[in-house]
Amino acid sequence: MQPSAVPELAHTHARPIHWVATATALAGVVALSSVLGPDAATAAAPAPGPQTKSAPAHIAPPDPAAVEFPLECGPVKAVVKKKASGDLDGDGRPETVAVVHCDAPMGTPPDGVYVLTRAAGGGAPRVVATLADPKDRTNVDDFGVRDGEVTAVLLGYSSADVPSCCPDVREGVKWHWENGTFVRSAPSGARTV
């Protein structure tokens, strides 16, 4: 073993007084940082236009099972195919968007997309908007609620001659709340499948 060229360092053999001094210094730093602490966080000014707020945790979104949908299903029931919730109008209370169709034993029944809300004082949920009407013969392929917008991919038909089994039009759409109503836009445009 080769001997070290550097003489033994004094700090390699700490005495109890060194530990007391280190602990005292550390306690002083912690105490000083808690007194001085960071400044309070400040938020940037909100962007102009409608604002989406997070709904308080104690407010449950409307339940589609408690709603009568405006569908003519005859002897079969209406079925909720998909649902998503979020604050769409910026009032701090969540709305639920439901994709609903008649529970037909055969074929592909068209979907309706409905917005549900509940009065400020509670009460039963109710349908307040129809975003996609089943009379338009569309089906919802992809669907979600995010950042105050409802997004969907609608599958439809270019003409009445196209069989119901085989939609030939695919359209990506969005709805957002603006001036007291839902406004539809088609960011990706309609495409033939």
Side-chain angles (χ1 to χ4, degrees), residues 14 26 33 38 67 81 107 116 125 128 137 147-148 158 163 169 171 177 187:
L26 184 59
S33 68
V67 174
K81 177 177 163 182
L116 314 176
V128 293
R137 291 183 58 210
D147 298 329
S158 59
V169 174
E171 180 181 17
W177 185 254

Side-chain angles (χ1 to χ4, degrees), residues 10-26:
H11 71 274
T12 59
H13 297 290
R15 295 189 178 111
I17 191 68
H18 292 125
W19 290 111
V20 171
T22 302
T24 304
L26 184 59

Side-chain angles (χ1 to χ4, degrees), residues 147-175:
D147 298 329
E149 289 186 325
V150 179
T151 59
V153 173
L154 301 179
L155 303 177
Y157 307 92
S158 59
S159 74
D161 296 332
V162 177
S164 294
C165 69
C166 313
D168 63 342
V169 174
R170 180 181 180 89
E171 180 181 17
V173 296
K174 287 184 180 183
W175 292 274

